[in-house]
Amino acid sequence: MSESPPLPDTPVTPPASAAVEVLPARSDGATKPVTATGGGGGTTWGSLRPLLLRLHFYAGVVIGPFLLVAAVTGLAYTATPQIESIVYEHELKVTPRGAAEPLSEQVAAAERAVPDGTLLSVTKGAGPTDSTRVTFAKDGLAEGYTLTAFVDPYDHEVLGTLETFGQWLPARAWLDDLHRNLHLGEFGRNYSELAASWLWVEVLGGLALWAGTPRNRQRLRRLVTPAGGAKGRRRTMSWHGAVGLWASIGLLGLSATGLTWSAHAGASIGEVQDALGGSTPAVSTALPAAGSSGRNGEGTRGDVGIDAAVASAHDAGLRGVLVVTPPAEAGTAYVVKENTRSWPVRQDSVAVAPATGEVTQTLRFDDFPLLAKLTRWGIDAHMGLLFGLVNQIVLALLAIGLIAMILWGYRMWWLRRPTRSEGFALGRAPARGAWRRIPGRVLAPAVVLAAVIGYYLPLFGLPLLVFLVVDVTVGVVRRRRAGVAA
């Protein structure tokens, strides 16, 4: 979304908002500033723009491949609901035939099919054509994976078993793993966190560069639509900027939500969220103390069963897809939770005493802290769940837009290369030394802000530090070479 400086042989009128127009670097790595004729001399923006332009350029060149991979894998992920419905239709869908059998009989059938598994949860479908999912822990599976048996609720026939990751079936789990870590485990998660940590920087930097351009009537029109008559690099830049403007809000949202479950930044965000009282609550499985509710010895009585627990949840107002977690040990409760993550979100949950079927605690999504709600909505929107097909289409368009902007960015770099007579070379980078023209009153707080953000987002801070070290080193080497040559 940036507007890079023109090629040296391209005549252009200097921007009115810039106090200094920076020319390409000399062979010694220094820059040659000249005063712009468009006015605005001495402005803070005039000193900031060259530095922001250089950061936008280098971040785009270096981080671009990571963003490109994230966009391509994310684009593939948007189609997972349709892929699942086709690939796993046999396991997911049944033909209604009268009344469904008790849930306990369905669970018993699944346990016979997976005799060496440990029951973890039972998911009761929302509609008459949905199968029941019974999930087990089982030795020999990859970390985080479980084995799920799919049961026909009308005759408790086990339709099949699949290895699942949370609630995701194999196809979605494979694509999710590809998008998150390229199937490289915890090490691979750094790639997606690096992309998320820099996506917002690229977007905000591009917006700032465009906003700092003079806004006459024609320029304002080109902010939202590509220039029709432009050619070459100017046309590419126009498309890069216009698409970036339209996609900016969505890309910022993807960056923020992607960081919430990243390895390093996610931990920092979680700590901040907890400190602000915005962590996601959960019902307690602890049963009331004996005699506290007039019922003694609840932890030692029999079990009313999963059907009674679901009935109690229905009486408490829970509807839709229900996930039932049986008591993990004596003295703990059933947990029944709604799992409707499309809009409107239904995430209410209850704890049910196994001895009596009494609801011991109720947690409504409406009572969640605002930050917890925003986190839930943001993550579900990021995964294409919140608004169904519309959500998927928007995500696909954002992914395509990001892919296009990255490719346009590299094309602009290519078009900035020296003329053919000078032989093969990469495109010129924006001029060095821009930070020297930034007033101390602006540079000092900017450095502090970057340090704070880098602390909480280490995969933003560390690459930024590397950029600075490399840039300074290159400058020193060039100046020494220039001194020797002189």
Side-chain angles (χ1 to χ4, degrees):
M1 285 173 287
S2 64
E3 184 176 358
S4 302
L7 290 170
D9 57 349
T10 304
V12 347
T13 302
S17 61
V20 175
E21 185 70 13
V22 183
L23 296 180
R26 299 197 305 258
S27 60
D28 61 355
T31 56
K32 180 183 178 183
V34 296
T35 303
T37 59
T43 63
T44 299
W45 172 248
S47 59
L48 276 175
R49 184 179 183 277
L51 179 64
L52 185 60
L53 182 60
R54 188 168 177 84
L55 176 64
H56 189 71
F57 169 82
Y58 275 113
V61 169
V62 177
I63 308 298
F66 297 94
L67 290 171
L68 185 60
V69 172
V72 171
T73 56
L75 178 61
Y77 184 84
T78 61
T80 50
Q82 288 71 30
I83 294 173
E84 285 186 336
S85 64
I86 295 173
V87 175
Y88 307 113
E89 182 180 11
H90 174 71
E91 289 85 0
L92 296 175
K93 295 301 178 182
V94 299
T95 301
R97 304 183 299 281
E101 295 193 357
L103 202 57
S104 58
E105 294 187 14
Q106 301 177 48
V107 173
E111 289 178 323
R112 290 192 294 271
V114 189
D116 54 347
T118 301
L119 180 63
L120 294 178
S121 66
V122 180
T123 302
K124 183 179 181 295
T129 62
D130 295 325
S131 62
T132 300
R133 304 187 188 191
V134 185
T135 302
F136 299 90
K138 190 174 182 296
D139 293 336
L141 299 179
E143 183 180 359
Y145 278 77
T146 53
L147 188 66
T148 298
F150 297 81
V151 183
D152 187 330
Y154 299 100
D155 59 9
H156 62 260
E157 176 190 358
V158 177
L159 304 172
T161 59
L162 295 171
E163 293 185 12
T164 51
F165 184 81
Q167 62 181 316
W168 304 143
L169 303 183
R172 188 191 292 243
W174 191 90
L175 287 170
D176 176 74
D177 210 32
L178 179 69
H179 181 60
R180 287 189 304 123
N181 59 35
L182 301 179
H183 295 284
L184 297 175
E186 288 301 312
F187 174 79
R189 291 184 68 182
N190 293 324
Y191 117 82
S192 58
E193 183 169 348
L194 181 67
S197 297
W198 279 89
L199 177 57
W200 65 273
V201 180
E202 284 292 87
V203 171
L204 292 181
L207 288 175
L209 289 168
W210 274 95
T213 304
R215 290 199 171 195
N216 54 39
R217 182 175 301 178
Q218 184 182 35
R219 175 62 66 184
L220 183 61
R221 177 179 62 81
R222 290 182 180 177
L223 284 174
V224 295
T225 58
K231 296 181 179 180
R233 180 173 169 276
R234 292 180 64 86
R235 177 179 177 83
T236 303
M237 188 192 312
S238 179
W239 276 95
H240 182 83
V243 172
L245 183 69
W246 282 105
S248 58
I249 294 178
L251 293 178
L252 289 173
L254 289 177
S255 176
T257 53
L259 287 171
T260 58
W261 68 76
S262 61
H264 307 292
S268 299
I269 293 172
E271 292 175 1
V272 172
Q273 189 171 351
D274 291 344
L276 296 175
S279 57
T280 300
V283 294
S284 172
T285 60
L287 295 173
S292 62
S293 62
R295 303 177 186 272
N296 297 322
E298 284 192 8
T300 59
R301 290 185 182 180
D303 192 327
V304 296
I306 191 171
D307 293 283
V310 171
S312 296
H314 282 157
D315 292 341
L318 273 64
R319 296 290 184 271
V321 178
L322 298 182
V323 179
V324 185
T325 303
E329 56 187 18
T332 58
Y334 283 96
V335 174
V336 185
K337 181 179 181 179
E338 293 175 324
N339 192 33
T340 301
R341 295 168 67 176
S342 57
W343 191 267
V345 174
R346 294 187 64 90
Q347 292 279 291
D348 296 352
S349 56
V350 296
V352 180
T356 63
E358 177 187 8
V359 174
T360 60
Q361 188 179 23
T362 301
L363 176 63
R364 304 292 181 187
F365 183 73
D366 290 342
D367 298 327
F368 278 30
L370 178 59
L371 281 177
K373 289 181 179 178
L374 292 175
T375 300
R376 177 77 277 157
W377 291 330
I379 290 176
D380 290 345
H382 188 119
M383 301 176 74
L385 302 173
L386 194 59
F387 300 110
L389 182 60
V390 173
N391 200 161
Q392 292 176 255
I393 293 173
V394 170
L395 288 176
L397 291 176
L398 285 174
I400 293 171
L402 181 57
I403 292 169
M405 284 190 292
I406 293 168
L407 297 180
W408 284 326
Y410 280 114
R411 174 168 171 75
M412 285 189 290
W413 183 31
W414 173 252
L415 292 175
R416 286 178 57 84
R417 71 193 188 280
T419 59
R420 296 178 186 274
S421 60
E422 299 180 40
F424 176 80
L426 296 175
R428 296 183 178 92
R432 298 185 64 257
W435 64 272
R436 300 189 188 96
R437 288 180 292 278
I438 301 178
R441 68 181 185 279
V442 177
L443 183 61
V447 170
V448 172
L449 179 61
V452 172
I453 295 175
Y455 175 80
Y456 287 102
L457 306 182
L459 289 186
F460 161 75
L462 291 177
L464 178 61
L465 185 60
V466 171
F467 288 164
L468 293 175
V469 170
V470 170
D471 197 45
V472 170
T473 301
V474 169
V476 171
V477 170
R478 285 182 174 177
R479 283 193 295 272
R480 288 180 176 178
R481 287 180 177 176
V484 171

